[in-house]
């Protein structure tokens, strides 16, 4: 018989009915599994889903649905969290100006929330000034920028320049991602991190926050 | 040979005098550069936003002027808004379209950009007044454009695929969970959108369009957006009904989709009459598709939009020549980019693609040997 955590993980991977998942979360918590272990198990499930997606075994809608389940599980677990458990930090995220694609960004948001980050979602088609304004006003650890079009990716450079101009560059760590974004581009524009996919984005953000 | 005949020959898998060339759309700033003239109104690539018929006429004329300057052979037009529709602009300047999508204005791109939806629950659609396909006005652009171009250009009307339309109408963040938790509702919405399209298809055929392009993506870079089982159960049966309606009205239906279609290509090829995009950066090899389905499918594509944005002119010329070599033999090919000409594309590269098509696309394709 599966342990409560293993059962929960299997239900997530099967994109089971939300009522079954609620029961499994309840079972895990009442079997003296701490909220931290539930979050860890959730993280493992998300990582596995990410790998299956990369291999073509899971489709985009499944990746999105698992991300959504993850945020729902986070809400289920929150009332049971130890008082000492805080969020790991605040992340501002948006899609750059001229780009209206947001599915990838939204998956990253769901996974960051599942990993206990607080996320400020600026939305799509965001000009440099709005990113900078958010960095100024929010006490965020990380700024994440997403682009799906080759023609919009240079907007990330504009944001970096604006942050420098306003003296805010050192206030926040910057992570970039999206289909046309490469590690080399990220280095060229002076970003602190680059993520090829949503799973890696969470790892990179966690790493930057720890530094 | 005039452009219309060129397009029709390609559609019939015959070799015209040369490979026809087109783009399914050009963003307004690109058209402005080509025409050397400012266009006064913001438009949308995804939905109807212009209610004023004089502006709609101006929009169509502007696009036709652009297409003629470039030397395209096929004009692609959208459905117009029905006559009685007026844009619903909220105090914050955002717009609600006919389909319940919320749009905001990108002034630089002169485009209304969809970002949300008015629907919070499936029950919200019970009170929603679904657009009436029999309302007068949907065909305005098709009819008006055909009256202007006559036989000088081929003409295709762009409709929205029911899966993609529902995905956009509800936004992906609602469509996806409802796909899993309210499957009957999603199937019912796609059925309603299919019925809308079937009625519209009949009207398109009456207005002189040469074929239909069904837009909206099925796939993204990694593959299909939904499980293949969902395609077989819910998407393809609706698509088949639309294709049957098109055939009944002596029209062909070409499916546009970005992304990696390979996991669903066999099924898709057995339903539609052609495919647009065939994005090479999404693992789509137009040569492979030509080999397998060239006797059945019209292929429209596939010079990469990434190349148009980032590569050198020489690289674009070579890529275009290779595209022609792979896809044009025997006809059944219309040269285009792998999506559309967006503001970020280098105009020099876009025009080089067209120039190369005209230079190297003459049948028989001697230069390609």
């Amino acid at each position: 018989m599966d342990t409560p955590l293993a059962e929960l993980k299997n239900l997530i991977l099967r994109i089971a009915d939300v009522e079954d998942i609620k029961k499994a979360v309840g079972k895990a918590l009442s079997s003296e599994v701490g909220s931290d272990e539930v979050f860890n198990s959730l993280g493992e499930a998300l990582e596995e889903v990410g790998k299956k997606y990369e291999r073509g075994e899971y489709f985009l809608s499944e990746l999105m649905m698992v991300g959504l389940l993850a945020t729902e599980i986070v809400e289920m677990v929150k009332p049971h969290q130890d008082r000492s458990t805080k969020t790991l930090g605040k992340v501002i995220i948006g899609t750059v100006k001229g780009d209206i694609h947001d599915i990838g960004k939204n998956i990253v948001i769901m996974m960051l929330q599942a990993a206990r980050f607080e996320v400020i979602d600026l939305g799509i088609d965001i000009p440099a000034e709005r990113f900078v304004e958010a960095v100024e006003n929010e006490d965020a650890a990380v700024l994440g920028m997403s682009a799906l079009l080759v023609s919009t990716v240079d907007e990330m450079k504009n944001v970096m320049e604006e942050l420098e101009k306003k003296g805010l560059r050192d206030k926040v760590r910057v992570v970039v991602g999206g289909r046309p974004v490469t590690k080399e581009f990220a280095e060229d524009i002076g970003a602190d991190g680059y993520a090829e996919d949503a799973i890696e984005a969470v790892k990179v953000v966690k790493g930057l926050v720890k530094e | 040979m005039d452009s219309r005949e060129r397009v029709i020959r390609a559609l019939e898998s015959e070799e015209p005098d040369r490979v026809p060339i087109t783009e399914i759309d050009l963003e307004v700033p690109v058209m402005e550069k080509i025409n050397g003239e400012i266009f006064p109104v913001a438009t949308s690539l995804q939905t109807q936003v212009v209610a004023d018929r004089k502006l709609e006429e101006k929009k169509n004329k502007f696009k036709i002027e652009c297409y003629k300057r470039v030397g395209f052979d096929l004009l692609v037009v959208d459905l117009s808004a029905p006559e009685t529709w007026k844009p619903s602009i909220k105090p914050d300047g955002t717009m609600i379209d006919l389909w319940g999508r919320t749009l905001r204005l990108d002034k630089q791109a002169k485009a209304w950009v969809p970002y949300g939806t008015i629907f919070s629950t499936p029950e919200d659609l019970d009170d929603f007044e679904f657009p009436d396909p029999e309302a007068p006005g949907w065909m305005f652009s098709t009819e008006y454009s055909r009256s202007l171009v006559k036989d000088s250009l081929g003409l295709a009307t762009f409709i929205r695929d029911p899966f993609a339309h529902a995905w956009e109408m509800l936004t992906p963040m609602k469509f996806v969970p409802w796909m899993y938790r309210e499957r009957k509702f999603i199937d019912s919405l796609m059925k309603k959108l299919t019925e809308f399209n079937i009625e519209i298809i009949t009207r398109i055929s009456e207005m002189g369009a040469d074929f239909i392009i069904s837009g909206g993506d099925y796939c993204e870079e990694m593959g299909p957006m939904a499980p293949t089982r969902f395609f077989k159960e819910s998407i393809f049966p609706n698509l088949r009904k639309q294709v049957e309606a098109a055939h009944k009205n002596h029209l062909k239906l070409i499916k546009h989709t970005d992304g990696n279609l390979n996991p669903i290509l066999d099924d898709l090829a057995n339903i539609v009459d052609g495919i647009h995009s065939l994005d090479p950066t999404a693992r789509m090899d137009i040569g492979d598709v030509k080999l397998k389905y060239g006797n059945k499918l019209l292929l429209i594509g596939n010079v990469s939009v990434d190349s148009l944005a980032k590569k050198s002119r020489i690289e674009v010329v070579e890529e275009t020549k290779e595209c022609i070599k792979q896809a044009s033999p025997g006809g059944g090919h219309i040269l285009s980019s792998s999506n559309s000409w967006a503001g970020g594309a280098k105009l020099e590269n876009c025009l080089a693609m067209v120039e190369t098509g005209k230079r190297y696309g003459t049948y028989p394709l001697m230069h390609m040997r």
Side-chain angles (χ1 to χ4, degrees):
Chain A
M1 180 142 76
D2 280 341
T3 64
L5 283 179
E7 187 190 339
L8 176 61
K9 191 176 158 187
N10 285 336
L11 286 171
I12 294 168
L13 292 174
R14 282 198 288 115
I15 311 181
D17 185 76
V18 68
E19 294 304 320
D20 291 338
I21 287 179
K22 260 191 203 157
K23 284 184 196 154
V25 170
K27 199 170 161 188
L29 291 171
S30 66
S31 70
E32 294 176 10
V33 167
S35 58
D36 279 358
E37 279 106 330
V38 174
F39 282 125
N40 288 342
S41 193
L42 185 57
E44 285 169 16
L46 289 173
E47 195 159 337
E48 194 167 328
V49 165
K51 285 181 186 157
K52 284 178 184 283
Y53 171 71
E54 291 296 320
R55 290 197 297 260
E57 293 168 30
Y58 270 43
F59 301 92
L60 178 65
S61 61
E62 290 168 316
L63 187 67
M64 290 170 69
M65 193 60 202
V66 169
L68 184 70
L69 281 173
T71 57
E72 290 175 345
I73 290 168
V74 166
E75 291 305 312
M76 289 175 206
V77 173
K78 259 186 192 169
H80 303 275
Q81 264 182 289
D82 300 327
R83 276 188 204 157
S84 58
T85 307
K86 299 181 280 199
T87 70
L88 296 183
K90 195 185 277 190
V91 180
I92 300 166
I93 188 166
T95 304
V96 297
K97 183 166 173 48
D99 205 317
I100 63 168
H101 296 93
D102 66 352
I103 294 176
K105 168 183 74 67
N106 289 343
I107 294 172
V108 170
I109 289 172
M110 288 190 284
M111 298 211 172
L112 284 171
Q113 288 171 336
R116 287 177 288 165
F117 285 96
E118 183 188 344
V119 183
I120 311 285
D121 180 11
L122 298 179
I124 54 170
D125 187 25
I126 302 301
E129 307 79 55
R130 287 258 312 269
F131 279 111
V132 171
E133 190 188 327
V135 168
E136 197 163 16
N137 296 335
E138 302 283 347
D139 189 22
V142 176
L143 170 67
M145 292 189 279
S146 166
L148 200 80
L149 300 174
V150 163
S151 54
T152 62
V153 87
D154 284 343
E155 271 298 314
M156 294 182 177
K157 224 184 278 183
N158 293 341
V159 175
M160 300 302 283
E161 284 167 3
E162 284 298 308
L163 284 172
E164 288 281 0
K165 255 196 236 167
K166 299 276 182 176
L168 292 168
R169 178 62 189 93
D170 292 336
K171 196 184 175 207
V172 78
R173 313 304 292 274
V174 178
V175 180
V176 294
R179 189 181 67 86
V181 180
T182 61
K183 191 162 181 262
E184 292 71 32
F185 175 80
E187 283 167 4
D188 269 347
I189 66 168
D192 300 293
Y194 155 75
E196 211 173 70
D197 56 49
I199 304 293
E200 202 184 337
V202 175
K203 284 188 185 154
V204 169
V205 168
K206 274 184 177 170
L208 288 174
V209 160
K210 269 197 191 128
E211 283 175 15
Chain B
M1 186 180 288
D2 65 30
S3 287
R4 189 180 187 187
E5 193 185 343
R6 194 173 286 134
V7 165
I8 290 171
R9 290 262 186 110
L11 194 52
E12 299 301 326
S13 296
E14 293 169 14
E15 285 187 356
D17 59 343
R18 68 155 171 80
V19 180
I21 309 169
T22 194
E23 284 298 321
I24 60 167
D25 215 338
L26 275 62
E27 280 189 356
V28 168
V30 176
M31 290 199 282
E32 286 177 337
K33 273 186 205 163
I34 291 167
N35 287 1
E37 203 184 319
I38 300 294
F39 186 70
V41 164
T43 61
S44 170
L45 296 184
Q46 289 93 7
T47 185
Q48 296 80 23
V49 294
V50 177
D52 183 325
R53 286 306 191 222
K54 287 293 170 202
L55 278 174
E56 186 84 355
E57 281 180 2
K58 201 167 181 141
K59 185 178 86 135
N60 284 303
K61 274 188 188 162
F62 197 77
K63 191 169 186 179
I64 291 167
E65 168 70 20
C66 178
Y67 272 51
K68 286 194 165 176
R69 279 175 182 256
V70 172
F72 285 143
D73 297 292
L74 171 71
L75 178 67
V76 182
V77 299
D78 293 309
L79 298 180
S80 298
E83 273 169 21
T84 52
W85 179 73
K86 294 281 174 277
S88 168
I89 310 279
K90 289 158 61 177
D92 60 1
T94 56
M95 185 197 291
I96 300 172
D97 78 351
L98 277 155
W99 305 96
R101 301 176 71 178
T102 49
L103 316 169
R104 64 167 190 249
L105 182 60
D106 181 335
K107 287 182 183 163
Q108 199 176 339
K110 287 192 179 166
W112 283 97
V113 172
Y115 73 93
T117 178
I118 61 172
F119 305 114
S120 300
T121 67
E123 289 72 32
D124 285 342
L125 267 98
D126 294 340
D127 299 325
F128 177 66
E129 197 180 325
F130 211 83
D132 177 8
E134 293 184 17
W138 294 103
M139 294 298 118
F140 181 84
S141 280
T142 301
E143 188 179 10
Y144 183 69
S145 296
R146 178 51 87 204
S147 74
L148 287 183
V149 307
K150 298 187 174 45
D151 287 338
S152 68
L153 287 175
L155 181 65
T157 303
F158 201 87
I159 63 175
R160 214 103 193 123
D161 175 273
F163 162 72
H165 203 160
W167 176 279
E168 293 157 4
M169 208 171 139
L170 303 175
T171 73
M173 298 308 289
K174 291 193 169 77
F175 182 96
V176 167
W178 290 347
M179 192 177 117
Y180 286 91
R181 294 172 176 171
E182 303 280 352
R183 178 65 180 269
K184 281 188 185 159
F185 162 73
I186 291 294
D187 281 342
S188 156
L189 176 58
M190 292 203 301
K191 184 174 173 231
K192 207 159 178 168
L193 290 165
T194 300
E195 286 164 359
F196 175 90
N197 277 1
I198 287 170
E199 178 59 39
I200 286 288
I201 284 166
T202 307
R203 303 182 63 194
I204 290 171
S205 75
E206 294 164 359
M207 292 301 157
D210 296 307
F211 63 95
I212 293 163
I213 301 177
S214 170
D217 295 330
Y218 279 175
C219 301
E220 43 95 14
E221 191 192 354
M222 298 301 290
M225 285 149 67
T228 47
R229 189 184 65 251
F230 184 79
F231 274 85
K232 286 185 203 284
E233 289 169 4
S234 294
I235 296 175
F236 286 149
N238 286 329
L239 181 61
R240 200 177 288 281
K241 284 181 191 163
Q242 292 166 83
V243 173
E244 284 166 1
H247 291 174
K248 204 168 150 190
N249 287 281
H250 312 291
L251 287 172
K252 293 198 174 182
L253 189 146
I254 310 303
K255 179 75 193 93
H256 158 82
T257 171
D258 290 339
N260 176 8
L261 282 74
N262 289 312
I264 57 167
L265 184 57
D266 288 347
D267 285 332
L268 187 62
N270 281 326
I271 300 171
V272 297
D273 302 303
I275 298 177
H276 167 262
S277 182
L278 297 160
D279 184 359
T281 67
R283 307 168 214 197
M284 295 307 298
D285 185 322
I286 202 169
D288 284 350
V289 179
K290 182 76 175 186
L291 262 168
K292 223 173 164 188
Y293 300 109
N295 59 343
K296 184 192 184 294
L297 296 179
L298 172 70
L299 304 183
I300 310 181
N302 82 330
V303 175
S304 167
V305 292
D306 289 0
S307 302
L308 295 181
K310 290 287 177 188
K311 293 210 172 150
S312 71
R313 190 182 187 282
I314 293 174
E315 285 170 309
V316 168
V317 167
E318 290 307 309
E319 187 175 330
T320 307
K321 281 162 72 176
E322 184 61 25
C323 175
I324 294 169
K325 185 177 171 185
Q326 296 294 330
S328 303
H333 177 220
I334 298 179
L335 175 67
S336 84
S337 74
S338 62
N339 189 279
S340 55
W341 289 0
K346 289 186 206 168
L347 185 57
E348 173 197 33
N349 284 349
C350 296
L351 297 175
M353 183 194 91
V354 176
E355 229 174 86
T356 308
K358 289 182 180 177
R359 178 179 286 187
Y360 293 96
T362 304
Y363 289 101
L365 300 169
M366 303 297 291
H367 299 281
M368 295 291 116
R369 290 192 190 153

